[in-house]
Amino acid sequence: MTIENVGLLANDHVVETTRAKRLIDLHLARTHIELVEGVPSAVLDKSVRFDDFARLFENGDRSHEANVWRLGVALFDEVNLRLPPGSDDELVQRISEMRRKLALSKWLENAVAPSVDHDLLSAKGNPEKIFTLLSGNQLDRAVQAAIDGNDMRLSTLIAQIGSSEIFRDEIQRQLDDWEKYKVNPLLANGYRRLYALLAGIMDVAKGDASHGSDHCSDVVISAGLDWKRAFGLRVWYGNPFDHTITDVLSTYASHLKAPHPPAKPLPSYLEQPTTLSKEWNYGIEPTDVLYGLIKLYSDITVSLDDVLRARDCSPSPLDARLQWHLYMLLAHALRKRDFADRYDGFSLQADAITAAYAAQLEEGGNWTQAAFVLLHLETLEGRLQAIKALLHRHPNPSSSEQKFLVEKLAIPNAWIHEAKAAELAAEDDAYGEYKELIAAEIYDRAHRVLLDKLAIEAVIRDDHVLLRKLCEMIEPFEPEGWEYGGKVSCVCSTTG
């Protein structure tokens, strides 16, 4: 028999711990912890924004997670519209939509830049190189590539791409003439693809099914592009300039059902799987959380249930880290959206994600971070039970851990002593249990331990000094039944 420790997350322990600590530290620093009926509760500061999390990543970091936080900045953080006070509501709405679309465009350019650079290395011919650059909205480089290829007319046209409906119509007339006069078979597919893009065509450049010299195949415009670049083509060149993000998203979503659809919005770990990628059998095909965030911005009917599924955020269905932080930010700080099951102030789904993330942190050895996460459970009873259960699993915190729990998280010291008492009881250490129960202010239980275990042992040993000492430890608190229980033992120890 072979026993193997199988990791539950996508990356090794060190990587996952580092990623979690980075977000937890920021979240903790911006959280208010208060006691509600003696039970600590954590409330995220309402001023926290996506930008606070995005700043945790270096400017050159193009990882999926960094892109998530930066997309949130573009879509949900406040935008300075630079409009005078009292501006017309319609104007404010229009300018806001334009600025959001511009922010999304810049985000897309940065997010797809590594893919563009990668594809340039294998580009065959100048048309393919130019198209690759355009797929990342790198217009200056695309114009220069056309000039370097001695195609001045194409460079002039590229400089105008996406500019106006009149321009698109002119290019479309050119394409119609080529089709009419059977020119397409004489053109390389790379050029046909470029001119179709100039005309705002996003699906396919139609070929000619004729046999012989007139035959030419269809050219799928977004072939080989990941979903972000396919979506970007519609932002930059396909939809009219005055279309909103919602309009563009609707166009892209409708094209997914077309005969020549663009790439589906799969997470990056499925778009570009590596040899190190673990595989989980999962019945539902995941959707990139980046796409989900764009949907969340565009459609008020979309809830967090539709966006924050585990595998939308991570390769592992057991990874709740990104899910949880996004939920806290979107639902509590920004108040943009929530889970659909929230009723009368409570969401079972929200608490399920909180509990899952806490369990994940505890499994990774970061149980004090798990305690912090559990403070976000929405019911007092839920927090009380979860924290006490966690402490019972970790009854011997180090001095630094105990200081963090008590001073940072406002967890009562008595709860820690109660957990220690339970461990000592399991070890049949009655004296240790007795002391910890008194420290935990659970005097009735301590009184029972005194009567059922310690006092009997002291009497058997005829140690009246010890019996008196034990009684004096709890006497000031006068637990229930003290008059006819512990007090009698005290009297006996004195008369003895």
Side-chain angles (χ1 to χ4, degrees):
M1 178 183 294
T2 301
I3 299 176
E4 181 181 356
N5 184 14
V6 180
L8 300 180
L9 303 179
N11 297 285
D12 62 43
H13 174 73
V14 174
V15 172
E16 294 293 349
T17 298
T18 301
R19 289 178 175 177
K21 185 178 186 305
R22 175 167 53 187
L23 302 186
I24 286 285
D25 285 350
L26 171 60
H27 194 112
L28 176 61
R30 303 293 295 276
T31 295
H32 306 289
I33 296 176
E34 55 189 27
L35 288 176
V36 179
E37 298 181 27
V39 179
S41 173
V43 179
L44 182 62
D45 193 310
K46 298 297 186 293
S47 67
V48 177
R49 293 294 181 265
F50 275 94
D51 183 61
D52 296 307
F53 288 88
R55 288 176 182 273
L56 297 175
F57 299 83
E58 296 180 358
N59 290 335
D61 189 339
R62 294 293 186 269
S63 65
H64 183 264
E65 184 173 341
N67 283 331
V68 168
W69 299 114
R70 291 171 187 147
L71 177 59
V73 175
L75 296 178
F76 301 110
D77 282 3
E78 290 80 2
V79 176
N80 184 359
L81 302 180
R82 297 182 176 87
L83 291 174
S87 296
D88 180 72
D89 290 344
E90 185 177 345
L91 175 64
V92 170
Q93 178 66 22
R94 183 65 190 133
I95 297 300
S96 176
E97 290 174 350
M98 291 175 63
R99 289 197 177 278
R100 289 291 185 196
K101 187 178 178 184
L102 177 60
L104 175 63
S105 173
K106 290 183 177 179
W107 173 83
L108 276 169
E109 290 176 20
N110 288 326
V112 305
S115 298
V116 171
D117 291 340
H118 177 270
D119 287 357
L120 283 174
L121 297 176
S122 57
K124 299 175 181 178
N126 211 41
E128 186 174 342
K129 178 181 179 181
I130 294 170
F131 182 86
T132 300
L133 291 168
L134 290 175
S135 74
N137 202 33
Q138 298 186 24
L139 297 186
D140 291 345
R141 294 180 66 189
V143 169
Q144 187 59 52
I147 293 173
D148 292 343
N150 295 319
D151 199 331
M152 299 304 175
R153 183 173 187 274
L154 180 59
S155 69
T156 303
L157 295 175
I158 291 172
Q160 303 174 71
I161 189 171
S163 59
S164 68
E165 284 297 309
I166 295 175
F167 174 76
R168 292 189 183 92
D169 291 343
E170 288 294 330
I171 300 297
Q172 184 61 57
R173 275 194 285 273
Q174 175 71 77
L175 297 179
D176 292 341
D177 286 344
W178 284 349
E179 181 179 6
K180 178 180 179 180
Y181 297 110
K182 305 292 185 180
V183 176
N184 283 333
L186 305 178
L187 299 174
N189 285 345
Y191 275 106
R192 291 175 57 209
R193 191 185 196 190
L194 279 175
Y195 274 87
L197 188 63
L198 289 168
I201 296 172
M202 293 291 111
D203 51 1
V204 60
K206 293 292 185 180
D208 191 330
S210 303
H211 295 287
S213 60
D214 290 337
H215 173 78
C216 64
S217 60
D218 292 345
V219 176
V220 179
I221 307 304
S222 59
L225 298 182
D226 57 76
W227 80 264
K228 290 187 290 295
R229 284 192 283 172
F231 178 72
L233 293 184
R234 289 154 177 81
V235 172
W236 300 315
Y237 320 125
N239 285 57
F241 176 77
D242 59 349
H243 275 199
T244 65
I245 295 173
T246 303
D247 297 328
V248 178
L249 184 69
S250 177
T251 301
Y252 171 78
S254 66
H255 284 174
L256 288 173
K257 304 172 185 177
H260 300 282
K264 292 185 291 186
L266 296 175
S268 58
Y269 64 85
L270 289 181
E271 279 188 332
Q272 300 173 332
T274 67
T275 55
L276 299 178
S277 298
K278 297 177 182 177
E279 292 185 6
W280 282 268
N281 293 323
Y282 203 65
I284 302 173
E285 185 177 67
T287 299
D288 196 336
V289 68
L290 296 170
Y291 182 73
L293 289 174
I294 298 174
K295 283 181 62 180
L296 194 73
Y297 169 81
S298 302
D299 186 350
I300 61 172
T301 67
V302 173
S303 70
L304 294 185
D305 306 72
D306 304 313
V307 176
L308 299 185
R309 297 176 300 184
R311 292 206 68 208
D312 293 354
C313 303
S314 166
S316 169
L318 303 176
D319 187 355
R321 178 176 60 86
L322 202 53
Q323 262 184 304
W324 186 77
H325 286 286
L326 286 171
Y327 152 67
M328 293 301 301
L329 192 51
L330 288 166
H332 291 277
L334 287 162
R335 297 185 179 276
K336 293 295 183 181
R337 216 64 52 84
D338 210 330
F339 290 107
D341 72 339
R342 185 168 297 283
Y343 177 75
D344 199 21
F346 174 74
S347 167
L348 186 63
Q349 180 66 16
D351 268 6
I353 289 181
T354 297
Y357 187 33
Q360 175 182 328
L361 290 168
E362 184 183 5
E363 174 68 23
N366 304 302
W367 72 275
T368 56
Q369 292 180 357
F372 168 63
V373 171
L374 289 173
L375 296 186
H376 295 78
L377 290 171
E378 297 183 349
T379 66
L380 183 147
E381 187 64 27
R383 292 193 302 277
L384 176 65
Q385 292 180 1
I387 293 295
K388 284 194 172 185
L390 178 69
L391 292 173
H392 277 66
R393 294 193 295 272
H394 303 274
N396 295 299
S398 65
S399 58
S400 61
E401 289 173 336
Q402 185 161 342
K403 182 177 180 181
F404 174 78
L405 295 171
V406 174
E407 296 183 7
K408 286 285 188 182
L409 304 188
I411 291 175
N413 234 323
W415 295 7
I416 299 174
H417 289 293
E418 181 182 356
K420 291 180 180 178
E423 182 192 40
L424 292 168
E427 296 174 353
D428 203 24
D429 182 349
Y431 180 63
E433 179 190 5
Y434 180 63
K435 289 196 303 179
E436 293 297 340
L437 285 172
I438 293 174
E441 303 175 6
I442 307 176
Y443 304 122
D444 292 345
R445 278 175 53 191
H447 185 216
R448 289 196 297 273
V449 172
L450 172 64
L451 296 179
D452 296 344
K453 299 178 182 179
L454 297 176
I456 295 173
E457 179 69 21
V459 170
I460 291 173
R461 292 166 53 181
D462 196 27
D463 192 337
H464 297 284
V465 175
L466 174 60
L467 181 57
R468 180 62 190 172
K469 180 180 177 183
L470 290 170
C471 291
E472 288 175 346
M473 291 171 65
I474 198 172
E475 184 176 12
F477 308 109
E478 295 190 0
E480 184 179 353
W482 174 254
E483 189 73 21
Y484 302 103
K487 187 174 183 179
V488 174
S489 297
C490 286
V491 172
C492 292
S493 68
T494 303
T495 57

